[in-house]
Amino acid sequence: MNRLAVIASLFVLAAANARADTVLVLNSDDASYSIISRSSRTELVRLPVGREPHHLFRSPDGKDVLIGSTVTNELLVLDNKTAEKRGVVRDIVDPYQLGFSPDGKWFVTIALRLDHVDFYRADGFKLVNRIFVDSMPSHLAFDTESKTAFVTLQESGRLVAFDLETQAIKWNVKVGTAPAGVLMLPDNNRLLVALTGQDGLVVVDPKDGAITGSLKTGRAAHNFWPKGDGRHWFLSNRVENTVSLIDTQEMKVVGTIKVPGGPDCMDITPDGKELWVTQRFLRRIAVVDLEQMKVVASIPVGKSPHGLVMLDAVGPPSGTPIRTVSAAPRKK
């Protein structure tokens, strides 16, 4: 069987296995993505994608998942229910980080390698403007009114606010060492910025970039994920090998989960019982039981797993997993 036939059969297998509990994980250094069964905690199939996929995002209508392939300058579009390939959007330059504004009108990509931020009309992906920044733009957030985009600059330690309509820079301020994840809280009055070069986060006023507070969480605080109640967020601490649970009303850490192997991106299961975390340095995905607040399983995947998402897939399970899960996280 030739290579194209093999790839085609893998796509068919992925679609056949797509179900309500599937999880999609990007393997950044393997140029691939894995589809995992959440219920059986097994990798069902591993498929190729461009080169250096890092982050992904759902389309505003919830029908698609877009995977950014940074080196090949394209977006792979997958069906959010079947994981089948819908198409490829080309000439999207170095889409390391990506996202749609809350109103669905704007699509923004961040070129970490090439130091620019691109603004597209979401309908048709028409490039409106490219703004060069200094340097290593990393993560992205929007205000709830879809008026402003916020971008962290890892190398220069700054946070930049862009007016979405004009793409003009509103402000550009120093926030700390190697800022990464940035989060606009539901009140639209506070930004949280994770400082990977430090041991926690800072609270920033979105009007002018003024720092109004800070919180210690763990070494190399990196990325956020919502618990789902509008009040609590998880924050991965990559060097500390922990995930912090933060009460954003009290601005304090109310729980800490030990996750080995450089915890990074996260997603929570629809029932709210499990947090799945990429273990960048172990080639695994940690499964955290949120009632016990501990890792209960660790699933082998590809090299340097980064972004992940719970798919809204449906259909009966079929096929055979290509790799099984360990009963417990790998010991150091």
Side-chain angles (χ1 to χ4, degrees), residues 26-154:
L26 302 183
N27 305 307
S28 294
D29 288 352
D30 275 349
S32 69
Y33 62 94
S34 298
I35 297 176
I36 301 170
S37 167
R38 178 165 54 86
S39 58
S40 65
R41 294 173 181 169
T42 53
E43 183 182 29
L44 300 173
V45 69
R46 193 179 302 174
L47 300 170
V49 54
R51 187 176 170 191
E52 290 193 29
H54 289 282
H55 294 283
L56 42 77
F57 208 88
R58 278 195 181 94
S59 59
D61 60 12
K63 294 181 179 180
D64 301 323
V65 173
L66 282 67
I67 298 173
S69 181
T70 59
V71 177
T72 54
N73 300 325
E74 60 190 17
L75 303 174
L76 175 64
V77 184
L78 301 181
D79 187 292
N80 190 34
K81 288 187 175 181
T82 66
E84 291 179 285
K85 181 178 176 180
R86 283 187 181 271
V88 176
V89 181
R90 305 192 187 280
D91 300 321
I92 307 293
V93 179
D94 190 20
Y96 172 79
Q97 187 63 266
L98 58 154
F100 291 91
S101 59
D103 62 7
K105 294 180 179 179
W106 294 94
F107 179 67
V108 179
T109 62
I110 292 176
L112 181 143
R113 177 171 51 91
L114 300 176
D115 294 335
H116 59 74
V117 180
D118 287 354
F119 298 85
Y120 298 83
R121 295 289 182 186
D123 183 12
F125 299 102
K126 181 179 179 181
L127 181 64
V128 175
N129 208 343
R130 174 170 294 160
I131 308 297
F132 285 87
V133 292
D134 182 24
S135 61
M136 290 182 65
S138 175
H139 286 66
L140 168 71
F142 298 93
D143 66 354
T144 60
E145 298 175 343
S146 298
K147 293 182 178 180
T148 309
F150 304 93
V151 176
T152 52
L153 307 181
Q154 279 199 25

Side-chain angles (χ1 to χ4, degrees), residues 51-305:
R51 187 176 170 191
E52 290 193 29
H54 289 282
H55 294 283
L56 42 77
F57 208 88
R58 278 195 181 94
S59 59
D61 60 12
K63 294 181 179 180
D64 301 323
V65 173
L66 282 67
I67 298 173
S69 181
T70 59
V71 177
T72 54
N73 300 325
E74 60 190 17
L75 303 174
L76 175 64
V77 184
L78 301 181
D79 187 292
N80 190 34
K81 288 187 175 181
T82 66
E84 291 179 285
K85 181 178 176 180
R86 283 187 181 271
V88 176
V89 181
R90 305 192 187 280
D91 300 321
I92 307 293
V93 179
D94 190 20
Y96 172 79
Q97 187 63 266
L98 58 154
F100 291 91
S101 59
D103 62 7
K105 294 180 179 179
W106 294 94
F107 179 67
V108 179
T109 62
I110 292 176
L112 181 143
R113 177 171 51 91
L114 300 176
D115 294 335
H116 59 74
V117 180
D118 287 354
F119 298 85
Y120 298 83
R121 295 289 182 186
D123 183 12
F125 299 102
K126 181 179 179 181
L127 181 64
V128 175
N129 208 343
R130 174 170 294 160
I131 308 297
F132 285 87
V133 292
D134 182 24
S135 61
M136 290 182 65
S138 175
H139 286 66
L140 168 71
F142 298 93
D143 66 354
T144 60
E145 298 175 343
S146 298
K147 293 182 178 180
T148 309
F150 304 93
V151 176
T152 52
L153 307 181
Q154 279 199 25
E155 190 167 88
S156 58
R158 307 183 75 84
L159 177 67
V160 184
F162 294 92
D163 184 292
L164 277 172
E165 192 62 37
T166 66
Q167 300 87 56
I169 293 177
K170 291 184 173 183
W171 46 259
N172 182 339
V173 300
K174 180 80 173 180
V175 291
T177 306
V182 55
L183 163 69
M184 172 62 82
L185 292 174
D187 61 15
N188 210 43
N189 292 319
R190 292 175 296 161
L191 286 163
L192 304 186
V193 181
L195 301 176
T196 304
Q198 296 179 214
D199 58 359
L201 62 85
V202 289
V203 183
V204 177
D205 188 329
K207 295 192 300 295
D208 56 12
I211 294 176
T212 61
S214 63
L215 180 66
K216 184 176 180 179
T217 60
R219 286 175 296 167
H222 191 71
N223 208 3
F224 297 98
W225 193 260
K227 189 174 187 292
D229 58 5
R231 174 171 178 167
H232 296 88
W233 264 260
F234 296 100
L235 173 60
S236 55
N237 306 299
R238 284 178 58 176
V239 175
E240 193 80 18
N241 288 319
T242 62
V243 173
S244 300
L245 179 59
I246 300 168
D247 183 329
T248 61
Q249 289 185 15
E250 300 290 336
M251 281 310 300
K252 65 181 181 181
V253 176
V254 294
T256 301
I257 308 162
K258 295 181 179 179
V259 181
D264 197 322
C265 293
M266 298 167 279
D267 199 352
I268 196 167
T269 54
D271 59 12
K273 294 181 178 180
E274 293 177 351
L275 181 73
W276 285 46
V277 188
T278 55
Q279 298 170 278
R280 292 292 298 277
F281 312 135
L282 293 183
R283 306 186 186 188
R284 288 174 171 259
I285 306 300
V287 180
V288 175
D289 184 299
L290 290 178
E291 184 176 356
Q292 302 179 63
M293 291 288 282
K294 71 175 185 180
V295 174
V296 294
S298 184
I299 305 166
V301 287
K303 189 175 181 180
S304 191

